[in-house]
């Protein structure tokens, strides 16, 4: 009965979004796939934008929606901070006007806290809520949140069950394969979540310990899909996540692993038009001027969201230059040329060295130095039109300042602080490194050795025509 109420509530919420593309799709729909609820039907056959820390800001999601994104998630929101009135967490609830199906992701380990946070998400217009059980960062795991929840599938199942029974909107869950490589418990976790009544499950094909250092294991994701079908849970969508950069990799993952949908993170950050490629089943290789137009649109959306004044610029600068850490990595990959290669290794794992003999404007847009990204963001922010943006960026590409960056790379003013490897806060307060197995801070000799190694690496990469800092 509760599941029927959830489905009816979800239908009412979506249809009440007057004029939204999703509401129009619902009104024109005549039937659902047998056994699947409305939300489950809506999460099938899609390319979904992952909840991206920093990258999943509203202006970026709005840009992805322009390219046909149908399902999106907010940045992860700490439920406790949200309920305490934290302005940053409350801002993350906001939905872009063109987002079709929007979910809010929360981090919590308490049922009552989670239910209250879901209510806030519902008030803000979320269509569903996702529980984060995959975040590996220390800030989350030290609180018993994120991937630390994977250590006890039984407790996680009770948490999900409580959230589902107390929520008016569907609850989904995003997990990793496990915490450590030697404690993979994906099937046990997925079964607990299914039995708890989750509307859908997203599986990132790596452990928390692996981060992004290894290729995603889609074989284990496939096992979870097959196990669900064998045990009567084939109606609960399994969404696969990990190492998707092209539409043809996404299509192949769906076909081979039998997942219901795929989720993209870094692939969308590198090229927001990946959703267009997925829908068109074809590669779009925009030239440099077309890419600048896309990037300027993102800049304009930042102005719309944060404000076109000094304060708006200051807020935007937490995001806009940062986006070029990924946008600068764009490389055209056609299925004809790279399809076979992608079978052996995910294309997103390729390390591309940009030669110096490309046109200056292309070289600028592909440069991965933070100083360059700041100059690009400034030109986009100050431009009056797409043509003006191209002119400003072309001038930067020919400038002595950029040529100096090509010769010497970006200045890393925070290097000394990072090399000490101390926790945040007052330097030397704990004399410990952050992490589960802390060690002493680095000595001056260790720091000098590391700096020497980096200097040699920098000289080699710049000599080969690469950029510094490297990816």
């Amino acid at each position: 009965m509760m599941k029927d109420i959830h489905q009816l509530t979800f239908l009412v919420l979506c249809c009440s979004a007057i004029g939204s593309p999703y509401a129009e799709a619902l009104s024109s729909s005549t039937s659902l796939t047998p056994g699947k609820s409305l939300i489950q039907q809506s999460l099938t056959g899609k390319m979904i934008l992952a909840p991206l820390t920093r990258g999943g800001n509203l202006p970026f999601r709005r840009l992805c929606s322009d390219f046909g994104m149908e399902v999106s998630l907010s940045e992860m929101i700490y439920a406790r901070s949200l309920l305490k009135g934290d302005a940053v967490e409350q801002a993350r609830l906001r939905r872009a006007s063109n987002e079709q199906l929007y979910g809010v992701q929360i981090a919590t380990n308490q049922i009552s806290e989670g239910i209250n946070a879901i209510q806030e998400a519902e008030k803000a217009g979320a269509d569903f809520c996702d529980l984060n059980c995959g975040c590996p960062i220390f800030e989350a795991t030290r609180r018993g949140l994120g991937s630390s929840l994977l250590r006890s599938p039984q407790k996680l199942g009770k948490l999900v069950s409580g959230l589902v029974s107390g929520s008016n909107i569907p609850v989904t869950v995003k997990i990793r394969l496990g915490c450590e490589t030697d404690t993979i418990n994906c099937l046990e976790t997925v079964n607990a979540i299914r039995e708890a009544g989750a509307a859908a499950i997203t599986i990132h094909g790596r452990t928390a310990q692996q981060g992004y250092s290894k290729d995603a294991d889609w074989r284990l994701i496939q096992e979870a899909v097959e196990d669900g079908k064998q045990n009567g849970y084939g109606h609960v969508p399994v969404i696969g996540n990990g190492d998707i950069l092209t539409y043809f990799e996404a299509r192949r993952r769906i076909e081979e692993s039998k997942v219901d949908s795929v989720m993209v993170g870094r692939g969308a950050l590198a090229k927001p038009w990946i959703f267009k490629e997925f829908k068109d089943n074809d590669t779009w290789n925009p030239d440099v001027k077309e890419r600048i137009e896309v990037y300027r649109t993102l800049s304009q959306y930042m102005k719309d969201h944060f404000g076109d004044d000094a304060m708006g610029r200051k807020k935007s600068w937490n995001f806009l230059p940062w986006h070029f850490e990924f946008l600068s990595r764009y490389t055209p990959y056609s299925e004809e040329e790279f399809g076979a290669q992608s079978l052996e290794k995910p294309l997103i794992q390729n390390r591309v060295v940009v030669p110096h003999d490309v046109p200056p404007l292309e070289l600028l847009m592909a440069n991965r130095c933070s100083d360059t990204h700041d100059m690009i963001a400034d030109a986009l922010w100050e431009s009056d039109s797409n043509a003006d943006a191209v002119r400003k960026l072309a001038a930067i590409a020919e400038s002595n300042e950029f040529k100096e960056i090509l010769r010497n790379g970006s200045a890393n003013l925070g290097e000394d602080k990072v090399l000490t490897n101390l926790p945040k806060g007052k330097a030397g307060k704990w004399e410990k490194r952050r992490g589960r197995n802390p060690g002493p801070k680095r000595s001056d000799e260790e720091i000098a050795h590391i700096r020497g190694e980096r200097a040699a690496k920098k000289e080699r990469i710049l000599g080969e025509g690469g950029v510094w800092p490297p990816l």
Side-chain angles (χ1 to χ4, degrees), residues 415 418-421 433 441-458 468:
E415 183 182 49
V418 172
L419 287 178
T420 60
N421 211 21
R433 299 182 188 181
K441 72 172 183 178
R442 295 188 178 111
S443 65
D444 292 341
E445 291 76 15
E446 286 179 306
I447 293 173
H449 178 70
I450 294 172
R451 188 176 286 113
E453 288 182 334
R454 290 186 178 182
K457 182 178 180 181
K458 173 181 176 180
W468 185 266

Side-chain angles (χ1 to χ4, degrees), residues 19 37 41 52 91 101 135 170 219 290 294 344 413 417 425 436:
S37 67
Q41 175 80 358
L52 301 167
L101 183 63
C135 182
R219 177 184 56 82
E290 289 173 318
V294 173
E344 300 176 4
L413 300 178
K417 184 176 181 180
R436 189 170 291 116

Side-chain angles (χ1 to χ4, degrees), residues 399-445:
S399 69
N400 291 330
E401 186 177 2
F402 180 57
K403 291 175 183 177
E404 182 66 21
I405 289 175
L406 291 177
R407 285 191 295 268
N408 298 312
S410 289
N412 188 358
L413 300 178
E415 183 182 49
D416 287 345
K417 184 176 181 180
V418 172
L419 287 178
T420 60
N421 211 21
L422 286 171
K424 291 182 178 179
K426 185 178 179 181
K429 181 177 180 180
W430 297 290
E431 298 293 314
K432 296 286 187 179
R433 299 182 188 181
R434 296 183 70 173
R436 189 170 291 116
N437 298 307
K441 72 172 183 178
R442 295 188 178 111
S443 65
D444 292 341
E445 291 76 15

Side-chain angles (χ1 to χ4, degrees), residues 76-81 83 105-118 130-133 139-152 154-163:
M76 181 185 75
I77 296 172
Y78 287 108
R80 189 163 303 171
S81 297
L83 298 175
Q105 189 186 69
I106 63 169
T108 186
N109 56 11
Q110 296 181 9
I111 293 175
S112 59
E113 177 183 88
I115 290 174
N116 290 332
I118 292 173
D130 186 74
L131 175 65
N132 182 300
C133 301
E139 187 63 25
T141 57
R142 74 179 181 86
R143 305 181 189 183
L145 306 173
S147 59
S148 66
L149 294 171
L150 302 176
R151 298 187 186 282
S152 176
Q154 184 178 6
K155 288 183 179 179
L156 176 57
K158 291 180 180 178
L159 172 62
V160 174
S161 178
L163 297 180

